[in-house]
Amino acid sequence: MQLVAASVLALASGVFAQNVVQFNVTRGVPGVHLGAIPVLGKRMVTHSERLINFMAGGGYYARVSLGTPPQVITMLLDTGSSDAWVLSHKADLCLDDDLQQEALSICVDTFNPSKSSTHKVIDPRGFKITYLDGGVASGGWMQDDFTIGGTTIKSLQLAYVTKAVRNTGILGLGFSASEKAATKYPNIIDQLSSQKLISSKAFSLYLNDRRTDAGSILFGGIDTDKFIGPLQIIPLLATNGTYTSFEIDFSSLVVTLPNSTLLDMPTSRLKHPAPAVLDSGTTLSYLPDAMVDLMTENLSTYFDPELGMILIDCSYLTLPPSPATLSFQFLFLNSTASIRVPVWEMVLDVLSPSYVAPDAAPFEDACLFGIQSTEIFEATGTVKQPNFTLLGDTFLRSAYVVFDLGSYEVGLGQANLNSSMTRIIELKEQPTKQDDGDDNNDNNDNSNTDGNPTETTATKTKGLPSVTGVWAQQTTFTPTAGPVMTLVTTKNHAVRFGAGMGEVIGVMGVASFFTIMGGTLMTL
């Protein structure tokens, strides 16, 4: 039967500027905080993609409302897909107690259309999506009123899933060209724009520090307090003349090693292009195998064949922090944009204390490395030639990203981690700068009384404005935490998710458990 959350972490949200919708997102299923998982056997290798996403925290989630009266739904924020879908109250995973016990998967929220007066069925079937990890979700299409961040979209089309592979819905934020419907439809970004709820088909994403639980998203706006220096504007890459994903020209990765030596890995040395897809629905990041091999040869890492994953020495987490840094570089016009990711952001301390390193391992204190090889997707059968780069949450936490679907570009800024202030500007479809001939009154001063740069007016006639964030990192780390969730079935089978998680998984079998927190949701 359906599992019910006894405690759910509430998310603050609201509208903070005209035609800008802001709301918070939280890492992991709201209210569920997991302990370390135990040692895995070789039988897990073919499922490693779902497993590592579970281990790494499970993505970022938002709480929305659907229907009239509103039903609260939890959804994973996914820039790697384009459809929004929710779990039907008749989803197999939520009704079948045997499936729940086999999968240890928790249906956090479901939607019952019979309780909504604004619900409309479009197609009782017709929805099917396959993810990079090989998982499939299917169901039908519907319309209903959808509220997010205190703003209601009337008659939004979305899917309802009856055959489930995960425990929450998905909020796809990509281009409508990648929708799975037979007939393309206006998705959430299109409807926010067409219903005049935002003034530009664009949104900004701020995932924040790895050690915190919460980030934020802005539809139709930019928060200049959330990034450092100028916003670097990069054109998206099209496939056969069509924009289908947030894909940009990844030119090189420069690694500053612990001894301060630079390791330059340009993608031009590969035998194939390796464009980068920005995907918030994936918790780790993935590079072509040749780049990963060279990088891991020069860092304290090793490949565990039983886990099917690259592990890294946990000493990179110790203070003072290691000088090791990853600089991701992207081409735009005649220049290069760069996002720096400290290696400690790529060190995930999620292995069980009982984990025993292989005999050939160069160290015993192992952590999961936040970068893996794209060849891992070949095992799922969904990718034949993994000649691409997938930049998930381990990269995105260090960046402030503005996704502009109207002008087919993204803005990248170095994240101002743990920002405690907000300076929001509204994005317009075609912002213009009025020149009154007075050079002393052109709003390009970029400063205010607190010494930080302020937002500037646009200097272009179309697309993202030229804006500058704060001058330098403004705040220090302040950890956040949420309550532990207790999940109860109608058979009174209670599972407490927390410090004892390793023992639970050890008894029930990890192979059936990793679907709880899987976050690899970019589709092909």
Side-chain angles (χ1 to χ4, degrees):
M1 301 300 291
Q2 180 175 342
L3 293 170
V4 180
S7 176
V8 177
L9 178 64
L11 295 175
S13 59
V15 180
F16 287 81
Q18 183 179 6
N19 290 341
V20 176
V21 180
Q22 174 172 319
F23 62 95
N24 293 341
V25 295
T26 187
R27 186 169 56 162
V29 176
V32 179
H33 293 264
L34 301 177
I37 71 167
V39 180
L40 308 178
K42 293 182 179 179
R43 62 190 177 88
M44 289 302 303
V45 173
T46 57
H47 304 291
S48 58
E49 175 49 28
R50 292 185 193 177
L51 171 66
I52 56 186
N53 279 280
F54 157 66
M55 293 170 67
Y60 289 79
Y61 292 77
R63 298 281 277 172
V64 304
S65 297
L66 184 63
T68 307
Q71 300 175 42
V72 177
I73 302 292
T74 301
M75 303 185 79
L76 176 77
L77 201 68
D78 186 20
T79 62
S81 64
S82 300
D83 299 292
W85 63 260
V86 297
L87 283 169
S88 165
H89 70 300
K90 295 182 178 180
D92 56 353
L93 181 63
C94 306
L95 294 178
D96 191 324
D97 191 65
D98 290 334
L99 284 178
Q100 294 171 8
Q101 295 302 318
E102 290 174 8
L104 278 178
S105 197
I106 50 176
C107 291
V108 176
D109 299 303
T110 63
F111 178 70
N112 187 341
S114 66
K115 295 183 179 181
S116 173
S117 62
T118 49
H119 173 263
K120 178 183 178 181
V121 175
I122 297 176
D123 182 352
R125 288 178 282 277
F127 175 72
K128 183 177 181 180
I129 188 167
T130 302
Y131 297 110
L132 274 179
D133 63 6
V136 178
S138 60
W141 294 98
M142 56 173 270
Q143 282 184 349
D144 213 330
D145 293 349
F146 182 92
T147 300
I148 186 168
T151 298
T152 298
I153 303 171
K154 294 294 185 180
S155 301
L156 177 69
Q157 179 167 330
L158 66 164
Y160 59 94
V161 165
T162 54
K163 182 176 175 56
V165 292
R166 56 173 300 114
N167 64 322
T168 67
I170 304 297
L171 187 60
L173 298 173
F175 289 96
S176 57
S178 295
E179 292 169 352
K180 298 306 175 184
T183 302
K184 303 305 179 186
Y185 63 93
N187 63 13
I188 182 172
I189 302 297
D190 299 321
Q191 290 284 32
L192 280 168
S193 176
S194 64
Q195 296 185 28
K196 308 301 181 183
L197 301 172
I198 58 177
S199 300
S200 176
K201 291 174 63 175
F203 63 94
S204 306
L205 184 64
Y206 175 73
L207 296 185
N208 209 356
D209 197 304
R210 168 181 59 79
R211 299 162 296 182
T212 64
D213 285 344
S216 62
I217 187 170
L218 281 175
F219 287 119
I222 296 176
D223 188 343
T224 59
D225 197 74
K226 296 297 188 290
F227 62 95
I228 303 167
L231 189 69
Q232 304 164 104
I233 301 172
I234 306 172
L236 295 175
L237 301 177
T239 302
N240 299 322
T242 302
Y243 293 92
T244 59
S245 64
F246 297 114
E247 185 175 77
I248 57 179
D249 192 348
F250 176 44
S251 60
S252 68
L253 174 63
V254 179
V255 181
T256 302
L257 299 174
N259 61 5
S260 297
T261 300
L262 296 182
L263 177 64
D264 191 0
M265 296 183 288
T267 57
S268 59
R269 295 182 182 178
L270 301 173
K271 297 180 180 179
H272 54 78
V277 176
L278 305 177
D279 184 6
S280 68
T282 301
T283 58
L284 301 184
S285 297
Y286 300 85
L287 298 178
D289 193 59
M291 297 183 73
V292 172
D293 285 346
L294 182 58
M295 179 172 50
T296 54
E297 287 172 3
N298 289 274
L299 294 173
S300 298
T301 65
Y302 67 88
F303 181 79
D304 187 316
E306 291 195 3
L307 293 179
M309 292 177 287
I310 300 169
L311 305 183
I312 189 169
D313 193 339
C314 291
S315 66
Y316 282 106
L317 290 172
T318 60
L319 295 175
S322 167
T325 303
L326 309 177
S327 178
F328 293 81
Q329 300 183 356
F330 310 93
L331 292 179
F332 69 104
L333 299 177
N334 296 319
S335 187
T336 301
S338 179
I339 296 296
R340 301 177 308 280
V341 183
V343 167
W344 62 263
E345 277 279 1
M346 295 285 183
V347 182
L348 306 176
D349 189 9
V350 294
L351 297 180
S352 168
S354 62
Y355 172 78
V356 178
D359 293 338
F363 51 85
E364 294 184 358
D365 191 10
C367 288
L368 179 66
F369 190 36
I371 294 179
Q372 304 287 322
S373 170
T374 52
E375 287 196 352
I376 195 171
F377 297 119
E378 287 187 300
T380 68
T382 56
V383 177
K384 294 182 179 180
Q385 294 181 326
N387 299 335
F388 61 93
T389 299
L390 186 62
L391 299 180
D393 296 338
T394 53
F395 166 83
L396 292 172
R397 278 192 285 269
S398 294
Y400 185 82
V401 188
V402 185
F403 300 85
D404 189 341
L405 291 81
S407 298
Y408 310 111
E409 59 190 15
V410 297
L412 285 181
Q414 189 71 40
N416 178 24
L417 298 178
N418 300 294
S419 165
S420 60
M421 297 178 62
T422 295
R423 276 193 297 272
I424 296 175
I425 59 174
E426 181 184 352
L427 290 171
K428 305 284 188 177
E429 282 292 349
Q430 291 189 339
T432 58
K433 177 178 180 292
Q434 300 295 327
D435 187 358
D436 58 5
D438 184 359
D439 292 339
N440 295 320
N441 189 31
D442 61 1
N443 289 328
N444 279 324
D445 180 62
N446 284 352
S447 63
N448 59 18
T449 56
D450 63 7
N452 289 323
T454 61
E455 59 272 14
T456 66
T457 56
T459 58
K460 301 189 302 178
T461 59
K462 186 178 180 180
L464 293 174
S466 298
V467 294
T468 300
V470 298
W471 294 119
Q473 176 66 44
Q474 300 294 297
T475 58
T476 57
F477 165 63
T478 302
T480 62
V484 173
M485 176 183 285
T486 300
L487 302 155
V488 184
T489 70
T490 55
K491 290 186 177 180
N492 295 320
H493 295 151
V495 179
R496 178 181 173 85
F497 291 83
M501 201 60 202
E503 287 72 18
V504 173
I505 301 177
V507 173
M508 302 303 293
V510 183
S512 61
F513 183 72
F514 48 65
T515 55
I516 291 180
M517 299 288 283
T520 300
L521 294 159
M522 174 191 145
T523 58
L524 297 180

